[in-house]
Amino acid sequence: MRVGLVGFAGSGKSTLFQLLTGAVPDPGKVHSGQVGVAVLNDPRLEFLASLHSPKKITPATVEFLDTPGLMPGSHGDNPQRLALIREGDALLIVLNGFSGTDPAAELAAFREEMLFADMSVVTNRAERLEASVKKHRPDWEVQEKELATVRRILAALESGETVASLGLSDEEKKPLRSFGLLTDKPQVLVLNAPQGEGVPDALKAQAPDALALDAKLELELVQLDPAEREVFMADLGVTELGRARIIRAAYDAVGIITFFTAGEPEVRGWNLERGGTAVEAAGKIHTDLAKGFVRAEVTAYDELVAAGSLKEAKARKLQRLEGKEYIVKDGDVVYFRSAL
């Protein structure tokens, strides 16, 4: 799972990148983008560790890609800068709440840049398809169907609509997946603003789920030792740091859940697409587990907490035996049985 941090230059995007991942922005990667890994601080791991006293605790993680800031006022090379995150699963758009400008207008301008970048890609594809269809090659009928979809997308983009708003079927999207159209990606909106200001109503109207935080302040807080941090947070009236909220919002936007494996060697959180099956979850751990899948022994996290131990959960018949097609739920604690 990879999320691209995007925004106009000066938005505080790179500061947020450091807050999320702990990686110091590298000036040498300002044009190529920099990848960092953020750990999902999941309190459920602590309880599972208390049951097993594992040698290792491994949280689930998400990659963030810090991309070059766009230049406002002119499209210029903005499409090339945005192209860096076409392979990403979602966009984390960072808006500047310190400059005195209207963040709602900034968001509208940024979305216009995404429309323009997608328009360029789709226009090129349409031109190539039109030329190919005229030659009546063996697959011309397939290409003609794709061309109809591409023309529909292009018309939408030209009228200011996103690809996501078209409700394309999986079949229609399939030939276009390699293009990574930006306006089809899930979005998380973060306003980088002074502590306590919150999200203004005008921005909420465009992005109801937008989050607000002071990235520089939070970065300074997380770099303190825990005791000092608590004192400073109390003095500043900060009741909760925004880092965890942003990472969780990214998981929700992409549609990722966390399931767990737990034992004496390791307690670990794993990412899985919402709706993923037990055999797909097994494949996240090792391909052999999926190939030799026999069954999954599943205990819901909340039921395990209520029971107090795995032994008691089994006694209460809270542990279930599930087959390949079982849809894994967020928080499931799973033990996989495999023939390999």
Side-chain angles (χ1 to χ4, degrees), residues 70-112:
L70 302 193
M71 301 308 296
S74 173
H75 293 309
D77 63 354
N78 286 343
Q80 287 72 33
R81 295 180 179 217
L82 286 169
L84 290 172
I85 41 87
R86 287 198 178 277
E87 294 182 6
D89 299 298
L91 305 178
L92 197 163
I93 302 175
V94 185
L95 303 173
N96 189 345
F98 284 94
S99 63
T101 56
D102 179 5
E106 184 178 337
L107 175 59
F110 189 86
R111 285 176 168 170
E112 183 179 323

Side-chain angles (χ1 to χ4, degrees), residues 85-88 118 176-185:
I85 41 87
R86 287 198 178 277
E87 294 182 6
D118 277 357
L176 301 170
R177 281 177 187 153
S178 62
F179 298 108
L181 297 176
L182 302 173
T183 62
D184 193 37
K185 294 183 183 297

Side-chain angles (χ1 to χ4, degrees), residues 125 128-129 131-144:
R125 182 57 179 165
R128 288 196 297 270
L129 284 170
S132 183
V133 166
K134 289 177 182 177
K135 296 177 182 178
H136 277 261
R137 291 174 175 170
D139 63 343
W140 74 272
E141 290 182 335
V142 174
Q143 291 188 335
E144 195 169 51

